[in-house]
Amino acid sequence: MRAVTERGLQVVIGLEIHAQLLTASKMFCGCAVAFGAPPNTLVCPVCLGLPGALPVPNRRAVELGLRTALALGCRVHPRSQFHRKNYYYPDLPKNYQISQYQYMDHPPLATDGWLEIEVDGEVRAIRIRRVHLEEDTGKLLHPQDGRPRSLVDYNRSGVPLMEIVTQPDLRSPAEAREFLLELRALLQTLEVSAGRMEEGTLRVDANISLRQPDGTLGTRTEVKNLNSLRALERALTFEAERQAGLLAQGTPVVQETRHWDERRQVTFSTRTKEEAEDYRYFPEPDLVPLHIDEAWLDAIRASLPELPAQRRARYVTALGLGRHEANLIVRDPKLAAFFEATLAAFPQPRTVANWLVGDVAGVLHAEGREIDQTALTPARLADLLRLVEEGRISIRAAKELLPEVMRRDDPPAALVAERGLEQLSDPEALARVVDEVLAAHSQPAEEYRQGKDRALAFLVGQVMKRTGGRANPDLVNRLLRERLRNA
């Protein structure tokens, strides 16, 4: 961000994250929540906003909101209120959204929390302004069939959302990305949201402004349509540079909502930014306030799992993992569960971690799958690693076999036998091959005796070639050194 740096400006970012909650039904009605259902098949008078329909809060959604608030160290308000947020849009059937807001003496579900992130070795606590509950809108569809029209699918209307709003504590696009990664890991660990940006179950809007060297905070813009971590970082980088460029020209920044165009890699203006008064918030007359008692909070607090930060610290201090490997595992709760289960059968944390974040992750990335979408199980991975540890197969053979282990239900040992990958570890048989290689390559043997260690690698390669790569390399090295030393 050259223009920002050259002018001595500081980037100031706050995020608004919407997480779809893992409930079976919608926020205020009994309609099912399901991804990919045919349009307008999961609707009823309540989520369609028909006259006379009355909302009823989803207790499970409230509980998931409380789990998140407690994990973020928030102050949970014993009495909170739903409000009507009034605005017109085609996918909002009631012309208002039932939400929560810090309005007069009616607080949202929870406020004043924090979440720690680490960027470039520095740990910072990013403050959480509020955690509140609301309902989702419908979804506009724009068929590309040459006809100028838009359609609307109300299946998503009324789906439970939790909005997490940060204070403007983030100081770079990289920090914003890191925060979202950490928050997503937390939500998935708590099992409150699937957190899949590609499915829309995790969405983020970003407010960004620039602070002058004298401390004056500039006008902010809101950036929307950020449907991936990469889009978040790129959009904020572009927007910071755009604002810095305007200031350099003496042009004021306009407070507005801008969308990110992934194809053109630019933001573009869509509307003037609304303020709270534009939404005309007032208490929802069809819903009584939420009352949260201490007994309920204590039960939820006792049910919280080990959180990502706690798990990361344990992996580093107790299991001896590097922070990078620990972070990669913790950020994917499914991978973390797989790691823990594998350790129960093969208690070598660093070996298991290296395989999971290296070769296993490589196959998953290449095939576009998650670890629970493969045939690989903790027991089968432990079996594969044990074959290497016992010297029955080489590491190279294990890496070659891994994609097949991840596709088939057969035990690794059966796949090894099927493909003839078992390592040759018979000293007498290998000694005969070593002798043949030394007889056929007397010059490299003499070079090694004269102190040229690279000649040994050539001889090892010849043994491996004659055995089809199945010879135990450690045993081959030992036998060659013994023969050459005693010759």
Side-chain angles (χ1 to χ4, degrees):
M1 297 189 291
R2 178 183 295 180
V4 174
T5 304
E6 288 177 349
R7 292 179 55 82
L9 302 170
Q10 183 184 52
V11 178
V12 178
I13 298 170
L15 299 181
E16 300 173 7
I17 298 102
H18 290 86
Q20 181 178 315
L21 297 174
L22 284 171
T23 59
S25 57
K26 294 185 179 181
M27 186 69 221
F28 299 112
C29 66
C31 290
V33 173
F35 180 76
N40 297 310
T41 56
L42 305 176
V43 293
C44 74
V46 174
C47 54
L48 288 176
L50 299 184
L54 294 175
V56 178
N58 185 328
R59 178 183 174 90
R60 179 60 177 167
V62 176
E63 184 175 310
L64 295 180
L66 292 173
R67 282 174 67 83
T68 306
L70 291 173
L72 290 171
C74 292
R75 177 165 64 99
V76 176
H77 296 281
R79 183 182 186 276
S80 59
Q81 177 74 51
F82 284 103
H83 292 81
R84 287 190 181 182
K85 180 180 180 181
N86 295 273
Y87 65 97
Y88 171 77
Y89 208 64
D91 60 8
L92 193 66
K94 299 189 292 286
N95 289 343
Y96 65 84
Q97 178 189 34
I98 300 179
S99 181
Q100 292 184 313
Y101 191 72
Q102 187 78 39
Y103 179 79
M104 299 177 64
D105 61 342
H106 302 294
L109 189 70
T111 55
D112 306 319
W114 77 92
L115 181 65
E116 288 188 346
I117 63 170
E118 181 178 345
V119 178
D120 297 329
E122 180 186 2
V123 177
R124 296 184 54 233
I126 306 302
R127 294 173 296 161
I128 305 298
R129 178 178 294 170
R130 67 177 181 270
V131 174
H132 71 255
L133 302 174
E134 61 187 23
E135 60 179 341
D136 207 346
T137 63
K139 183 178 181 180
L140 286 176
L141 307 173
H142 309 286
Q144 301 299 311
D145 56 5
R147 300 167 61 188
R149 59 182 179 142
S150 291
L151 306 176
V152 62
D153 178 10
Y154 286 118
N155 280 349
R156 201 175 67 184
S157 179
V159 165
L161 290 183
M162 174 177 60
E163 183 171 359
I164 300 169
V165 181
T166 77
Q167 297 286 6
D169 289 347
L170 298 159
R171 295 293 174 261
S172 71
E175 282 193 6
R177 184 181 190 277
E178 183 69 14
F179 178 86
L180 192 58
L181 274 169
E182 189 70 10
L183 180 64
R184 184 177 67 178
L186 179 71
L187 297 179
Q188 291 175 339
T189 299
L190 292 170
E191 297 182 337
V192 302
S193 176
R196 294 192 179 97
M197 298 186 76
E198 69 277 8
E199 292 182 2
T201 58
L202 188 69
R203 310 196 290 274
V204 59
D205 302 330
N207 292 284
I208 179 170
S209 58
L210 299 178
R211 180 177 281 123
Q212 298 281 359
D214 64 3
T216 303
L217 186 62
T219 302
R220 66 187 170 93
T221 60
E222 183 181 32
V223 184
K224 290 181 174 288
N225 195 37
L226 306 176
N227 54 14
S228 71
L229 291 162
R230 183 172 63 177
L232 171 68
E233 191 166 6
R234 288 182 175 180
L236 290 176
T237 299
F238 174 87
E239 186 60 18
E241 286 287 284
R242 186 191 71 86
Q243 291 186 19
L246 291 175
L247 295 175
Q249 299 167 11
T251 304
V253 176
V254 176
Q255 183 168 327
E256 60 185 352
T257 297
R258 300 180 67 86
H259 271 59
W260 171 245
D261 187 319
E262 182 69 31
R263 183 180 61 83
R264 295 187 296 147
Q265 297 287 293
V266 299
T267 64
F268 61 92
S269 178
T270 52
R271 65 176 184 268
T272 301
K273 174 63 179 168
E274 297 93 344
E275 297 291 352
E277 55 267 24
D278 296 322
Y279 291 120
R280 305 190 321 279
Y281 283 99
F282 63 86
E284 169 57 64
D286 291 333
L287 290 170
V288 298
L290 289 175
H291 289 272
I292 312 298
D293 60 41
E294 281 300 319
W296 193 13
L297 279 181
D298 288 342
I300 294 173
R301 191 178 288 112
S303 71
L304 294 180
E306 182 182 42
L307 301 181
Q310 299 166 331
R311 179 174 284 175
R312 184 184 298 110
R314 177 169 64 85
Y315 285 178
V316 172
T317 57
L319 300 183
L321 300 191
R323 290 195 66 83
H324 177 68
E325 290 76 20
N327 224 19
L328 290 175
I329 294 173
V330 166
R331 288 281 170 81
D332 184 346
K334 292 179 181 178
L335 196 64
F338 195 100
F339 172 69
E340 302 264 2
T342 306
L343 286 186
F346 189 80
Q348 295 187 27
R350 297 184 69 174
T351 299
V352 175
N354 287 337
W355 273 82
L356 285 178
V357 305
D359 297 277
V360 173
V363 175
L364 293 175
H365 179 74
E367 298 183 358
R369 293 191 290 172
E370 296 186 17
I371 198 161
D372 60 344
Q373 297 172 328
T374 74
L376 188 66
T377 65
R380 274 199 283 275
L381 179 59
D383 288 344
L384 182 66
L385 299 183
R386 199 173 294 111
L387 290 174
V388 176
E389 182 185 47
E390 294 170 353
R392 293 180 58 188
I393 61 173
S394 65
I395 292 180
R396 179 180 174 182
K399 291 176 182 288
E400 179 185 330
L401 195 63
L402 179 65
E404 200 162 352
V405 175
M406 295 177 69
R407 285 192 293 267
R408 294 173 55 177
D409 291 331
D410 306 78
L415 295 176
V416 167
E418 178 184 303
R419 297 184 55 178
L421 294 175
E422 187 152 357
Q423 196 163 248
L424 298 176
S425 298
D426 181 352
E428 292 185 6
L430 284 180
R432 288 193 293 271
V433 179
V434 166
D435 290 338
E436 292 171 3
V437 167
L438 290 176
H441 300 281
S442 57
Q443 184 176 344
E446 184 59 32
E447 289 175 357
Y448 176 77
R449 294 188 189 98
Q450 294 173 4
K452 296 181 180 180
D453 290 340
R454 294 181 60 182
L456 183 67
F458 172 80
L459 296 170
V460 170
Q462 293 304 306
V463 174
M464 299 303 290
K465 184 177 180 180
R466 287 184 177 233
T467 60
R470 295 173 57 203
N472 184 318
D474 292 335
L475 182 55
V476 170
N477 269 273
R478 180 169 64 82
L479 290 171
L480 277 169
R481 290 177 189 276
E482 289 176 355
R483 292 290 198 274
L484 290 167
R485 187 171 57 248
N486 298 328

